[in-house]
Amino acid sequence: MTNKTISTTPFADQKPGTSGLRKRTPVFMQPHYVENFVQSVIDALEGFKGKTLVIGGDGRYHNDVAIQTIIRMAAANGFGKVMVGQGGILSTPATSHVIRHHKAFGGFVLSASHNPGGPDADFGIKYNIGNGGPAPEKITDAVFARSKVIDRYLINDAPDIDLGTIGSYRSGDMVVEVIDPVADYAALMQTLFDFPAIANMFANGFRMRFDAMHAVTGPYAHRILEDMLGAPKGTVINGTPSPDFGGGHPDPNLVYARDLYDLLMGPDAPDFGAASDGDGDRNLIIGRKRFVTPSDSLALLAANAPLAPGYANGITGIARSMPTSAAADRVAEKLGIEMHETPTGWKFFGNLLDADRVTICGEESAGTGSNHVREKDGLWAVLLWLNILAARQQSVDDIVRDHWATYGRNYYTRHDYDEVDTAVANKLMDDLRARLPEIAGTTYDSLAVAYADDFTYHDPIDGSTSSRQGIRIGFADGSRIVLRLSGTGTVGATLRLYLERYEPAHGQHDLDTQSALAFLISLADRIAGVRERTGRDAPSVIT
Ligand code: G16
């Protein structure tokens, strides 16, 4: 076995986005592409010699090849040990936990999250730091800078590791531990939630369906929900990870998890339905006859968290991404705790969690999590919901209605325009940005604009500033229109339009969401000209 230095030339497109580097799979399959990015990350790090690196993946196409490459490169670069999940499987939250629990230096997550997988679909690589969370912008900027000038990478020529069998191996001088991907994570969940109470609920006939969408949460959900909590076999469906997610789109929303939604709205609906995405960090929550929006779910979980043993002493604060509805703000206000508004991207929560300024975080993009790891966590959200249901002995619908009757309801929707021509999307945003001062002084019909800006975040912990994080138009009645371009798409630009209207506690909470927001939807189009400029009659996806 020898370590080799391989000459290479830079790729110009290795700038990490909202969550690492995501591209079409064939892009990652080009010679040297994975190697260049991984070496750029390693070159941006200091002090890793002899330390442990964790490698997690959601099982998608090309994971196996990329994992073997990263193992060889880690060995040649001087890491002391790699920990990797059996079969290359380790969900994103489980990777975060393994990094923290085993005090690793950092880790690579191989996933394009909710994007489809396969030779013609998507792939991604993200680096997480020692706190278990996605690398902050300071590091991702350094990685991008390095990727533009890289001229060599280090790799050994050791044989492939047998990822199928748990055990200890060697790649050159480095130890490779193939671990049970579920064990550490399941043990952590047991410390947070009242497993006996949830098991008792299942024993008394509580019915649930969990759709793992042929993605990474299958093994976790089978073990935790069925084996440990006693949910009947068959509660978990699509529970075997497959490289192309069964040919599906592992995005737990009302479009791609439509069957689950229809089941929960139908005559034989179980009590509770949930799903998670490709890498297990997102969640979808649907009660019998009640879909819970991610923004509402964040507020509800924060308000009810002390019902779970892990949060029995209360929560220190809540954080949400800027486009997420302000439902959680009302909970924080009532509890008298801190509330933080951050840019889109889980990496912005890390400092607040590390400093114990917040305990629970969430995003409109179906992500919620807490200080137990430094990633959003799909199964965690499902288990906290189960714990709350077991403690309150009420239906999801009753709990949601109760919440609105206490705090009011934030009607909320997101309209996505996918694969828009990048130049058109950028021009739309630039033109709108230029008109913000004029918009700020306008009243549209009787709705006065309270502020119009491009969101800038000042991190209260490290003092860093992140600007141009999304255009916000806020109105005097608390309504909001937000526009931003996605940082996770792989083809063209995805324009996201977020709409929100607050209805007070004594108000009307039973309106259909799109009807409740109809005025704002048409106003957004009037202000930004989305349909005319994109040439689209309707959004590609409404969530
Ligand atoms: C990632 C990030 C999230 C973000 C989401 C959508 O999630 O971790 O913080 O909200 O992308 O980002 P964008 O609106 O820029 O597409 P995931 O689940 O894809 O890793």
Side-chain angles (χ1 to χ4, degrees):
M1 199 287 309
T2 43
N3 289 336
K4 296 182 169 173
T5 301
I6 309 288
S7 296
T8 188
T9 49
F11 292 90
D13 63 348
Q14 296 199 324
K15 183 176 172 52
T18 307
S19 188
L21 188 67
R22 286 190 195 163
K23 302 279 175 198
R24 288 296 201 198
T25 312
V27 174
F28 274 100
M29 292 174 73
Q30 297 173 86
H32 308 305
Y33 196 88
V34 166
E35 291 86 342
N36 271 26
F37 186 69
V38 169
Q39 189 67 53
S40 298
V41 171
I42 294 174
D43 288 348
L45 305 175
E46 274 172 21
F48 56 82
K49 298 272 180 197
K51 303 270 175 62
T52 298
L53 180 75
V54 176
I55 306 177
D58 61 8
R60 74 178 57 223
Y61 184 84
H62 202 56
N63 259 17
D64 45 358
V65 177
I67 289 172
Q68 300 289 354
T69 300
I70 298 174
I71 290 173
R72 291 192 183 94
M73 292 183 65
N77 276 281
F79 276 94
K81 178 161 121 180
V82 156
M83 297 177 81
V84 56
Q86 185 182 21
I89 290 288
L90 208 48
S91 77
T92 291
T95 305
S96 182
H97 179 55
V98 170
I99 292 172
R100 293 166 66 76
H101 189 63
H102 295 278
K103 302 196 170 24
F105 185 83
F108 283 99
V109 179
L110 307 184
S111 170
S113 187
H114 52 288
N115 295 3
D120 299 314
D122 290 349
F123 193 77
I125 302 184
K126 178 173 73 166
Y127 179 71
N128 282 23
I129 59 175
N131 75 352
E137 282 187 329
K138 194 174 60 182
I139 294 180
T140 55
D141 288 349
V143 171
F144 181 46
R146 179 69 191 145
S147 76
K148 289 190 281 192
V149 295
I150 191 162
D151 59 1
R152 62 90 187 94
Y153 59 84
L154 311 182
I155 191 162
N156 73 22
D157 59 3
D160 278 359
I161 299 293
D162 173 12
L163 297 177
T165 312
I166 290 172
S168 200
Y169 305 85
R170 291 197 89 84
S171 178
D173 292 336
M174 187 183 78
V175 173
V176 181
E177 252 186 63
V178 177
I179 61 170
D180 175 343
V182 181
D184 285 336
Y185 178 84
L188 174 66
M189 293 300 115
Q190 267 185 305
T191 67
L192 299 176
F193 302 115
D194 189 346
F195 271 40
I198 301 172
N200 195 35
M201 187 168 74
F202 279 121
N204 286 320
F206 180 87
R207 287 166 59 224
M208 168 178 183
R209 172 162 296 179
F210 180 87
D211 188 349
M213 304 188 90
H214 306 280
V216 80
T217 47
Y220 297 83
H222 279 304
R223 179 101 53 100
I224 296 172
L225 298 175
E226 296 179 348
D227 300 348
M228 296 168 79
L229 292 168
K233 296 279 178 214
T235 296
V236 177
I237 61 165
N238 302 322
T240 304
S242 90
D244 69 347
F245 306 115
H249 198 133
D251 191 352
N253 62 27
L254 298 185
V255 175
Y256 300 114
R258 186 76 204 182
D259 291 352
L260 185 69
Y261 178 80
D262 289 343
L263 176 74
L264 269 294
M265 297 302 135
D268 188 34
D271 300 284
F272 188 61
S276 189
D277 69 331
D279 61 330
D281 56 2
R282 297 186 174 206
N283 70 86
L284 171 69
I285 302 293
I286 315 177
R288 183 187 293 139
K289 303 259 189 279
R290 172 61 61 196
F291 161 63
V292 188
T293 69
S295 294
D296 275 351
S297 185
L298 168 65
L300 274 147
L301 293 180
N304 290 281
L307 295 172
Y311 307 94
N313 295 329
I315 58 176
T316 59
I318 311 172
R320 62 164 173 84
S321 66
M322 182 275 282
T324 304
S325 100
D329 301 35
R330 301 180 191 283
V331 175
E333 195 183 347
K334 183 154 188 218
L335 294 173
I337 57 175
E338 288 190 30
M339 183 75 220
H340 294 268
E341 186 177 38
T342 59
T344 294
W346 205 264
K347 60 188 173 219
F348 293 102
F349 295 137
N351 281 344
L352 295 167
L353 288 163
D354 283 352
D356 200 22
R357 296 279 290 270
V358 302
T359 308
I360 289 192
C361 308
E363 296 187 277
E364 50 67 37
S365 55
T368 12
S370 87
N371 58 357
H372 68 291
V373 289
R374 293 295 181 274
E375 289 277 6
K376 56 190 185 278
D377 188 345
L379 261 174
W380 169 89
V382 172
L383 289 166
L384 181 48
W385 261 102
L386 287 172
N387 196 138
I388 292 165
L389 292 168
R392 289 185 53 161
Q393 301 276 309
Q394 286 174 290
S395 69
V396 172
D397 188 42
D398 286 344
I399 291 174
V400 169
R401 284 170 179 286
D402 244 33
H403 189 88
W404 291 337
T406 308
Y407 297 94
R409 175 173 182 185
N410 289 68
Y411 284 103
Y412 183 83
T413 192
R414 185 176 99 188
H415 290 192
D416 289 342
Y417 293 80
D418 291 340
E419 298 188 23
V420 174
D421 181 84
T422 306
V424 168
N426 285 334
K427 176 122 181 31
L428 186 153
M429 293 297 285
D430 288 345
D431 289 350
L432 189 58
R433 206 173 278 120
R435 284 175 44 225
L436 289 174
E438 161 212 331
I439 292 169
T442 310
T443 295
Y444 294 95
D445 299 350
S446 54
L447 202 51
V449 176
Y451 61 89
D453 63 10
D454 195 346
F455 180 57
T456 297
Y457 179 60
H458 302 284
D459 187 309
I461 311 299
D462 68 12
S464 62
T465 295
S466 305
S467 54
R468 289 170 71 111
Q469 296 294 329
I471 292 178
R472 316 186 288 182
I473 304 174
F475 298 92
D477 69 348
S479 302
R480 284 196 313 167
I481 294 172
V482 173
L483 284 103
R484 59 179 282 281
L485 299 182
S486 159
T488 57
T490 55
V491 179
T494 296
L495 178 68
R496 301 206 197 283
L497 171 63
Y498 313 80
L499 304 133
E500 172 177 11
R501 174 165 88 73
Y502 178 61
E503 183 73 33
H506 57 267
Q508 168 62 266
H509 300 144
D510 283 322
L511 300 178
D512 163 70
T513 301
Q514 299 304 313
S515 317
L517 294 165
F519 176 71
L520 282 178
I521 294 169
S522 68
L523 183 57
D525 202 44
R526 202 162 117 201
I527 296 176
V530 177
R531 288 172 195 218
E532 190 193 326
R533 284 164 175 260
T534 60
R536 306 281 174 85
D537 295 342
S540 330
V541 179
I542 295 181
T543 49

